[in-house]
Amino acid sequence: MLLLAQKSKNMELNKVKIIGFDADDTLWVNETYFRQSEAVFFDLLSEFASRDDLAKELLATEIANLELYGYGIKAFVLSMLETAMHIAGNDLPIQTVGKIIELGRHQLNQPVTLINNIQLVLASLSKKYKLIVVTKGDLLDQERKLQSSGLLPYFHHIEVVSEKKVADYLRIFKRLDILPSEFVMIGNSIKSDILPILECGASAIHIPFHCTWEHEHVDVTISDAGFYQFEQIHEIIPLLLP
Amino acid sequence: MLLLAQKSKNMELNKVKIIGFDADDTLWVNETYFRQSEAVFFDLLSEFASRDDLAKELLATEIANLELYGYGIKAFVLSMLETAMHIAGNDLPIQTVGKIIELGRHQLNQPVTLINNIQLVLASLSKKYKLIVVTKGDLLDQERKLQSSGLLPYFHHIEVVSEKKVADYLRIFKRLDILPSEFVMIGNSIKSDILPILECGASAIHIPFHCTWEHEHVDVTISDAGFYQFEQIHEIIPLLLP
């Protein structure tokens, strides 16, 4: 019975021509670096507020700023600065401002740490499929990471979107001149990489990363013929290269 | 003789299928807002340095940061903050930091001011050509401007690039599946919109904006069969719809 289900599922993927990969926390480690910067930020502000209050205020500021600043490290730095000034007011030492900006510069300069086995997976899949990156990060930052990661040769191109909503994916399908059934998206965010994709009628493979930004977190149970979930990226190989 | 040259020139454009438009200062006013923010920034720091010294230091900081921060208003805000801290050191009032961040927020919220006649030009050209936007600005910011400008319906899609160099344009041609001779780029920056395009073998139309960021300024005389220059955007109509 299980085997049958698996078989019919694989048939769903028979039409797939293009595979979209999320970038941050799917190709390389990203959220970990945000958590590290946050930890330093909380220490810098520890005389003004508790870690929990700082975390709450920072998250609220980031979400309030999403529409204006978008995603990425520069937006994160500006939100940390605004949070610091809101919490500490005129008592905020000017040196702390410099240290927060330095945190951002340091994070932008972090080496790219690849997700285990990702190179092997891309090398295998690129023989049969056209691979693209679909990301809502900062274009320059994502291009730099792709370049220095050595993964660039496996990808046809990068689609940078300001949001990963249904309309954004439909626009990509139109531009690629494919049907939703010819596309599968692989990523770590249920909210961005999975739900809108399934709503489009495309397939989606969820590979969780060990930490997820709170704003990306959703609590759902998905039962959709086009939905797959694995713990490790290399587990998708038998599914896509049966 | 002139007529003959014009005629042979027009024939260069006979093959054009897709027209690329630069966004900032080609579709809408942009540099003007940077100049306005700069003027306020110079006032804010006037007790620490002269306008000229501040301008020099800010430009140097922006150029040094280009590789790390890229283009756009968030990068500009971070460069203003770094410049202020470098110039004023620990004497920089924390309130000034808040005012600089506020400058950025204000600039991100500026209404879109269209370049004269741009809507008319796009409406006419879109009947015969596929129009795209090619921009190296911040994706979210450019999408918002395109949305609120009312110009979105005229464009097939937006190409956001981190740099406008020869390789970036060649990548776009490849993705669009066209030859360079089938493309004409329209923009205000000789360095970004014109020179690399001509080097690719495509055509380029230069419409200067009354102010150009110093880093984009180049001093050249161009004699290339695919190069055109006009003062106002509507002057391109007879050339492209003869």
Side-chain angles (χ1 to χ4, degrees), chain B residues 95-164:
Chain B
Q95 293 89 335
T96 305
V97 172
K99 285 176 188 160
I100 292 171
I101 292 177
E102 202 39 60
L103 268 182
R105 297 183 68 93
H106 176 73
Q107 200 179 324
L108 281 166
N109 276 314
Q110 282 286 354
V112 175
T113 308
L114 293 183
I115 297 291
N116 275 345
N117 292 314
I118 189 72
Q119 189 138 18
L120 175 82
V121 168
L122 297 176
S124 306
L125 295 179
S126 65
K127 284 175 195 150
K128 181 174 172 192
Y129 301 96
K130 185 191 276 190
L131 311 184
I132 66 170
V133 178
V134 184
T135 172
K136 60 184 177 188
D138 187 88
L139 174 64
L140 185 72
D141 192 34
Q142 299 290 19
E143 274 189 352
R144 180 179 22 230
K145 285 193 227 171
L146 209 50
Q147 190 76 50
S148 71
S149 69
L151 301 180
L152 198 56
Y154 301 119
F155 290 103
H156 187 265
H157 71 275
I158 314 176
E159 291 278 348
V160 186
V161 288
S162 58
E163 279 292 342
K164 283 179 167 176

Side-chain angles (χ1 to χ4, degrees), chain B residues 49-115:
Chain B
S50 71
R51 198 202 161 286
D52 276 7
D53 285 348
L54 286 164
K56 233 178 266 175
E57 179 74 20
L58 177 59
L59 181 66
T61 307
E62 283 180 277
I63 293 174
N65 280 338
L66 262 188
E67 205 191 325
L68 195 65
Y69 290 155
Y71 297 84
I73 298 174
K74 283 175 287 182
F76 177 54
V77 172
L78 292 171
S79 287
M80 282 195 289
L81 288 171
E82 291 178 21
T83 303
M85 299 211 297
H86 187 234
I87 295 248
N90 292 341
D91 295 334
L92 185 70
I94 195 72
Q95 293 89 335
T96 305
V97 172
K99 285 176 188 160
I100 292 171
I101 292 177
E102 202 39 60
L103 268 182
R105 297 183 68 93
H106 176 73
Q107 200 179 324
L108 281 166
N109 276 314
Q110 282 286 354
V112 175
T113 308
L114 293 183
I115 297 291

Side-chain angles (χ1 to χ4, degrees), chain A residues 6 13 31 84 103 114 132 182 206:
Chain A
Q6 188 62 35
L13 295 171
E31 199 55 30
L103 269 182
L114 292 182
I132 66 170
E182 295 170 322
H206 184 226

Side-chain angles (χ1 to χ4, degrees), chain A residues 7-18:
Chain A
K7 216 172 173 182
S8 91
K9 273 194 149 191
N10 279 350
M11 283 176 66
E12 283 276 327
L13 295 171
N14 269 352
K15 297 175 196 157
V16 167
K17 290 178 184 166
I18 301 184

Side-chain angles (χ1 to χ4, degrees), chain A residues 65-71 74-75 77-78 81-82 85 89-90 92-95 97-98 101 105 108-109 139-140 143-144 157-158 160-162 175, chain B residues 65-71 74-75 77-78 81-82 85 89-90 92-95 97-98 101 105 108-109 139-140 143-144 157 160-162 171 175:
Chain A
N65 280 338
L66 263 187
E67 205 191 325
L68 194 65
Y69 290 155
Y71 296 86
K74 282 175 287 182
V77 172
L78 292 171
L81 288 171
E82 291 177 21
M85 298 210 298
N90 291 342
L92 185 70
I94 195 72
Q95 292 89 336
V97 172
I101 293 177
R105 298 184 68 93
L108 282 166
N109 276 314
L139 174 65
L140 185 70
E143 275 189 351
R144 180 179 22 230
H157 72 275
I158 314 176
V160 186
V161 288
S162 58
R175 195 174 331 160
Chain B
N65 280 338
L66 262 188
E67 205 191 325
L68 195 65
Y69 290 155
Y71 297 84
K74 283 175 287 182
V77 172
L78 292 171
L81 288 171
E82 291 178 21
M85 299 211 297
N90 292 341
L92 185 70
I94 195 72
Q95 293 89 335
V97 172
I101 292 177
R105 297 183 68 93
L108 281 166
N109 276 314
L139 174 64
L140 185 72
E143 274 189 352
R144 180 179 22 230
H157 71 275
V160 186
V161 288
S162 58
R171 216 176 297 125
R175 194 175 331 160

Side-chain angles (χ1 to χ4, degrees), chain A residues 2 7 48 55 57-58 61 67 75 83 85 113 143 160 164 191:
Chain A
L2 256 174
K7 216 172 173 182
F48 299 104
E57 177 76 20
L58 177 58
T61 306
E67 205 191 325
T83 303
M85 298 210 298
T113 309
E143 275 189 351
V160 186
K164 282 178 168 177
K191 185 179 170 190

